[in-house]
Amino acid sequence: MMKLWLKRPIVLILLAAGVALGGALLGNAVLAQAGADQAAPGERAEGSDGRSGRILDLTPEQIERIQQNHLSVVYHFAGALNATETATEKATVVQCTNIHASETTEVEVQLFQYDASAVYTGTISVDPMKTATFESSPVPFYVADVFLGAGNVEQGYGRIMSTHEDIVCTVQTIDPVNSPPTWSFDLPLYHRTAGGALLPAILREQSR
């Protein structure tokens, strides 16, 4: 009888330890699952969220029609490059943030060859305070929302269109091989004023 009494506290202690250990493991599993659930919405599958297209051998009539009626041109840029040959690889990256407090916007980037013989287009919906990244061809340094799938572009012209003007954008021509890139340079953006003049985007607020 005495032996059974002595064993009972040990059994109770073991049971309590088992319950505590099981609770801790279960709690960690729940927290891990909650963390995974919270992280999932922030994940982006590279190049899968937007739409892209191309037109080769453009005609003047096509150039007039490729601006959708519900979009207006917010920015222009020139000097874009894209090359996919191993010895001379180059790419252009456009990043746009929707700074509107509540309204989603559609953003479209069109990249033209220097003689307008080809145009490469990418389009995506951007939620408030979200940034979309467009790449003329894959750049390992960034996660792309839209690949334009561009061919060779030399001294290209580009325009950025949106359903509203509350977007902020940057454009880079960049090394598409190394991460981090070994070289890159910024392309200035231009915005058309109400009077029709094209001014550097840095002067945009003064031109409104």
Side-chain angles (χ1 to χ4, degrees), residues 59-108:
T59 66
E61 293 77 19
Q62 286 174 311
I63 293 175
E64 292 178 4
R65 292 198 302 265
I66 59 176
Q67 181 177 339
Q68 301 184 68
N69 291 333
H70 67 291
L71 299 176
S72 59
V73 180
V74 182
Y75 298 113
H76 304 260
F77 60 92
L81 298 171
N82 193 74
T84 56
E85 295 87 354
T86 303
T88 59
E89 288 187 74
K90 308 176 186 71
T92 296
V93 176
V94 179
Q95 294 180 308
C96 292
T97 303
N98 177 9
I99 61 172
H100 197 282
S102 60
E103 198 174 303
T104 296
T105 186
E106 186 173 317
V107 177
E108 184 164 289

Side-chain angles (χ1 to χ4, degrees), residues 22-36:
L25 292 174
L26 180 61
N28 286 337
V30 170
L31 288 174
Q33 182 61 45

Side-chain angles (χ1 to χ4, degrees), residues 2-157:
M2 180 64 70
K3 289 181 180 179
L4 291 174
W5 178 256
L6 288 174
K7 289 180 180 179
R8 187 175 298 171
I10 297 174
V11 172
L12 292 175
I13 291 170
L14 290 174
L15 285 173
V19 170
L21 180 60
L25 292 174
L26 180 61
N28 286 337
V30 170
L31 288 174
Q33 182 61 45
D37 292 341
Q38 290 174 358
E43 294 175 357
R44 289 191 293 166
E46 186 159 34
S48 65
D49 294 335
R51 306 183 302 279
S52 62
R54 68 175 71 188
I55 302 175
L56 305 180
D57 300 320
L58 276 172
T59 66
E61 293 77 19
Q62 286 174 311
I63 293 175
E64 292 178 4
R65 292 198 302 265
I66 59 176
Q67 181 177 339
Q68 301 184 68
N69 291 333
H70 67 291
L71 299 176
S72 59
V73 180
V74 182
Y75 298 113
H76 304 260
F77 60 92
L81 298 171
N82 193 74
T84 56
E85 295 87 354
T86 303
T88 59
E89 288 187 74
K90 308 176 186 71
T92 296
V93 176
V94 179
Q95 294 180 308
C96 292
T97 303
N98 177 9
I99 61 172
H100 197 282
S102 60
E103 198 174 303
T104 296
T105 186
E106 186 173 317
V107 177
E108 184 164 289
V109 173
Q110 293 183 340
L111 180 61
F112 293 80
Q113 175 61 304
Y114 72 94
D115 59 358
S117 59
V119 62
Y120 306 94
T121 302
T123 312
I124 193 169
S125 292
V126 185
D127 291 332
M129 300 312 298
K130 301 294 184 182
T131 299
T133 300
F134 301 79
E135 296 178 4
S136 61
S137 56
V139 174
F141 189 62
Y142 294 119
V143 176
D145 295 287
V146 188
F147 289 125
L148 300 181
N152 286 341
V153 175
E154 303 168 0
Q155 293 80 53
Y157 158 72

